[in-house]
Structure formats: structure tokens, C-alpha cells
Amino acid sequence: MSGHRIFSTSVASVYPHYITKAEKKGRTKAEVDEIFRWLTGHDQASLEAELASKTTFQDFFANAPKLNPNRSLIKGVVCGIRVETIEDPLMRELRYLDKLVDELAKGKKMEKILRT
């Protein structure tokens, strides 16, 4: 999946879709932001700076302050593919994010989503 077009897509262009998905199910932007921060190690200010600068997904994950070591505990299916079997490291990071937002939209508790 190397060179997939989502890699060069800005996080800011997809972010509103994550928010909409969560809000349609009664969840909040703050919870989506918490997922982003947990996964990447960003604080709120640096997350907002990345969104404002229209950082691509490739750069967003490559320059993340500290990818959460517990992200490897994320298991399951996104878009018909098991996230734990995705070979491309960047695509796996993207699918981890998708899976966490899916879990949020499905009503899971944040403690379960954040693997605490």
C-alpha cells in the first residue's frame, strides 16, 4: 500500500469527518481530540497546530511526539481488514486511528478505547 493517496492527504481535511461521525452518535470533539492525543503524544496545542498547518498523514505520524506503545493492543476490523495484519506501518497507524474513532462512535467507554 506504499504511496497510497491518503498518505499525502492533510489530516485537517479528514478530521471534520471524524468529528461528525462521533457527534452523530452523541460523542464529542473533545473525545476525538483525546484519541488523537493518546495515539500520537500530541498535546492539544500541538494537535491544533498540525491541523492548522494542513500536515499530511505521512508527516503527522512520522513527526508525532510519541506514538503510544499500547496502540499495538488495538485489534479488530476496519474496512474489512484486520488492523493487526496490515503490513504497511503508515497504513496501520491510519487504521488504528480509524478503529479508535469507530469504537468511540459505537459507544465504547474511553477507558476501553484508550486501552487503560
Side-chain angles (χ1 to χ4, degrees), residues 11-75:
V11 177
S13 68
V14 179
Y15 177 78
H17 300 288
Y18 289 130
I19 302 298
T20 299
K21 182 174 191 168
E23 288 178 342
K24 280 184 179 179
K25 299 294 184 165
R27 302 309 285 259
T28 66
K29 175 188 176 297
E31 289 173 309
V32 174
D33 287 354
E34 185 176 353
I35 287 170
F36 269 83
R37 293 190 315 265
W38 178 86
L39 186 61
T40 63
H42 280 286
D43 59 26
Q44 191 63 33
S46 65
L47 173 60
E48 289 173 9
E50 293 288 344
L51 294 170
S53 66
K54 303 204 183 309
T55 303
T56 66
F57 275 105
Q58 184 167 355
D59 292 339
F60 182 73
F61 284 108
N63 300 323
K66 184 176 193 256
L67 292 172
N68 194 308
N70 287 341
R71 72 192 189 287
S72 63
L73 300 175
I74 301 168
K75 309 278 188 227

